[in-house]
Amino acid sequence: MSSILVLGCMWGDEAKAKIVDYLGGDADYVVRFQGGNNAGHTIVTGGKKYVFHSIPSGILYPNTKCLIGSGVVIDPIAFIEEVNSLEAGGLKLAGRIMIDKRTGLVLPLHKVLDEQSETRLAGSKIGTTKRGIGPAYSDISARVGLKIMDLAYPAYLKQRIEELYAYHNLTISAAELNQQLLELEKAWAVLASYVTDVETLLNLNKNKDLSILFEGAQGALLDLNYGSYPYVTSSRVMTDAVGTGTGYSARKIDKIIGVYKAYCTRVGEGPFPTELHDEIGQRIRTTGNEFGSTTGRPRRIGWFDAVAASYSARINDIDSIALTCLDVFSGIEELKICTDYEVNGERSKLFLSHPLELEQVKPVYQIFEGWDKDISGCLSFNKLPRAAQVYLDAIAELVKVPVQIISIGKDRSQTFTHEVGGE
Ligand code: IMO
Ligand code: MG
């Protein structure tokens, strides 16, 4: 049995799905372990673009099964819509999706609460995807949330939903409750056949050749505990979350690949030390098509932040880097990497999680020569311009982890393996 984790190591949208897809052809299982449909995972192949929200990115490979672990939260109605739209597009999903029986639910109330909380917070809102993710996870922690197996027991389901509204000091009319129960019953008619025990499926599997690919959603700097709290998501987005989110201990993972973009992006609010407010940021946004796949929001753009990147590499114990979107830099004269944070006149290589501290940071930059050439066809390290090679070397050296996968375009084919840095 072999297992690989593909983990977003910045603020999400690192093009993780592209890397999962690149490696996924050989995987028996692609497994999501946290997050929900706040994720927007894009794969481009054969001129066709797919965006997945709850369904793991392995679904394009007909022999790969897609597993959803207990650490994920599922919006049953949105999930069915996603299944239907993929099937309408010609993908065969029957028997290929398995959801752990302990998986939590996102209910209509959670979306309402997400929206209301963002409105109430106003000036200090988080900028969530408004998919109900935060309220769903907090209800699970408060032990008033619902689990997917509750759908199998209609009377219990009704009681739990009533109790959930009561817990939030809200009332639900009989008509609305019946409407919700009806929709959930319809969803269950489809979902029931997907529900299984992911823990035993992974841990008690007798197949010695089994290959598992764990697919992270969001990014480690959005982790509830180690991210830039409170400007984070509500799930744990770290290597260790594989264990809590699937039952397959993170200790057993053979290889951890941290995915980084050649620059940084962030959607939503929160401090972002290397953020660009000039025409270079604008240019990267346009060339890289940096608009949210879930909400369509323009992504904030910044230079590569090696302080944040090293922190993320360290807390997740990554073995190698997959560097994406290198092609987006073509034509930019001068590139920058933040090597240190300057705080109160002192330089440090330590990341700061507190928003008031991170906001004060003055990034210290190392400057690199850019390149003119369009590199979207350079499918080997040797074909890259010297300046691009130097840039990759610098990332491996600053993060202290070798770069092993390089992506130079959005299509599946525009990816290659080459070891940069390391021993
Ligand atoms: P993928 O998997 C980028 C961000 C939101 C917001 C914060 C909290 O595509 O990389 P939430 O709805 O989770 O409560 O929002 O987290 N966020 C993401 N940013 N990529 C994502 O997913 C994200 N999922 C959530 O913008 O700042
Ligand atoms: Mg995304």
Side-chain angles (χ1 to χ4, degrees):
M1 190 177 295
S2 66
S3 53
I4 297 179
L5 164 62
V6 174
L7 190 76
C9 279
M10 297 304 272
W11 284 282
D13 300 324
E14 301 89 349
K16 299 172 284 291
K18 196 191 155 173
I19 303 304
V20 168
D21 180 63
Y22 179 65
L23 301 167
D26 297 328
D28 295 295
Y29 296 142
V30 173
V31 192
R32 277 278 305 268
F33 53 94
Q34 48 70 230
N37 64 342
N38 46 350
H41 293 172
T42 307
I43 296 176
V44 181
T45 177
K48 215 168 159 183
K49 178 172 160 182
Y50 301 85
V51 183
F52 305 108
H53 298 288
S54 288
I55 293 179
S57 303
I59 204 74
L60 296 182
Y61 291 105
N63 297 321
T64 300
K65 294 209 163 56
C66 290
L67 274 50
I68 294 175
S70 68
V72 172
V73 284
I74 277 201
D75 177 334
I77 292 147
F79 191 86
I80 303 288
E81 279 169 14
E82 190 172 344
V83 165
N84 288 343
S85 86
L86 292 176
E87 284 189 327
L91 288 181
K92 302 235 181 318
L93 308 193
R96 298 185 50 222
I97 301 177
M98 292 165 199
I99 305 173
D100 189 78
K101 59 187 183 184
R102 306 161 188 87
T103 303
L105 293 184
V106 181
L107 295 171
L109 175 61
H110 295 130
K111 286 194 274 190
V112 174
L113 293 174
D114 198 351
E115 183 94 44
Q116 281 176 352
S117 139
E118 286 288 89
T119 311
R120 257 186 241 126
L121 285 171
S124 51
K125 69 175 179 163
I126 308 297
T128 74
T129 58
K130 298 194 179 156
R131 297 297 187 273
I133 303 299
Y137 276 115
S138 39
D139 277 350
I140 286 171
S141 294
R143 294 160 295 182
V144 292
L146 275 77
K147 297 279 187 152
I148 199 160
M149 277 306 290
D150 296 345
L151 298 176
Y153 305 102
Y156 181 71
L157 177 69
K158 179 166 181 267
Q159 179 199 328
R160 291 290 290 174
I161 295 181
E162 282 168 337
E163 285 169 357
L164 179 64
Y165 276 79
Y167 172 83
H168 287 284
N169 271 328
L170 295 166
T171 48
I172 179 166
S173 70
E176 199 191 329
L177 179 61
N178 283 337
Q179 177 59 32
Q180 282 193 27
L181 290 170
L182 201 69
E183 289 215 30
L184 291 172
E185 190 187 320
K186 276 199 269 172
W188 181 241
V190 180
L191 290 176
S193 65
Y194 296 173
V195 175
T196 186
D197 187 340
V198 165
E199 180 273 314
T200 51
L201 191 66
L202 295 175
N203 285 321
L204 303 182
N205 209 302
K206 296 267 187 295
N207 177 0
K208 291 220 167 7
D209 300 324
L210 197 78
S211 121
I212 311 170
L213 196 53
F214 292 101
E215 174 181 23
Q218 289 78 53
L221 299 180
L222 290 172
D223 178 77
L224 183 60
N225 221 19
Y226 281 86
S228 45
Y229 189 88
Y231 300 99
V232 293
T233 189
S234 291
S235 66
R236 303 306 313 278
V237 194
M238 288 174 60
T239 295
D240 300 75
V242 168
T244 52
T246 65
Y248 184 90
S249 170
R251 197 165 73 135
K252 297 199 279 192
I253 301 170
D254 296 308
K255 184 165 187 177
I256 305 168
I257 301 176
V259 191
Y260 295 85
K261 264 182 196 160
Y263 45 90
C264 288
T265 62
R266 179 165 198 170
V267 267
E269 308 301 322
F272 184 5
T274 62
E275 185 165 10
L276 284 163
H277 296 283
D278 57 8
E279 69 282 4
I280 294 190
Q282 187 56 44
R283 177 188 172 137
I284 292 174
R285 183 177 301 110
T286 312
T287 317
N289 191 26
E290 294 292 358
F291 296 88
S293 326
T294 299
T295 58
R297 290 178 291 178
R299 294 179 183 142
R300 298 158 67 194
I301 312 286
W303 293 119
F304 189 87
D305 181 340
V307 175
S310 309
Y311 167 73
S312 187
R314 188 166 72 239
I315 60 177
N316 293 298
D317 197 19
I318 67 169
D319 297 303
S320 77
I321 293 175
L323 198 90
T324 62
C325 304
L326 189 63
D327 53 299
V328 174
F329 277 159
S330 296
I332 300 179
E333 224 167 278
E334 188 180 87
L335 307 174
K336 294 183 186 175
I337 294 181
C338 165
T339 59
D340 296 79
Y341 284 177
E342 193 181 302
V343 190
N344 300 326
E346 291 199 15
R347 286 186 180 191
S348 162
K349 289 201 186 291
L350 295 180
F351 183 69
L352 297 167
S353 306
H354 196 283
L356 298 182
E357 294 172 359
L358 195 55
E359 208 165 74
Q360 297 301 316
V361 158
K362 231 180 102 208
V364 179
Y365 288 114
Q366 188 176 339
I367 304 212
F368 294 84
E369 212 180 291
W371 56 89
D372 257 342
K373 182 176 164 181
D374 170 11
I375 60 166
S376 59
C378 297
L379 279 172
S380 73
F381 187 75
N382 293 339
K383 292 207 173 97
L384 289 174
R386 181 77 198 123
Q389 296 176 348
V390 169
Y391 189 81
L392 289 169
D393 266 331
I395 286 188
E397 191 167 316
L398 287 164
V399 184
K400 297 194 173 53
V401 177
V403 175
Q404 284 180 344
I405 299 175
I406 298 154
S407 163
I408 38 92
K410 294 213 181 297
D411 194 81
R412 177 185 278 177
S413 62
Q414 293 169 297
T415 321
F416 63 90
T417 308
H418 182 94
E419 174 120 357
V420 185
E423 271 89 336

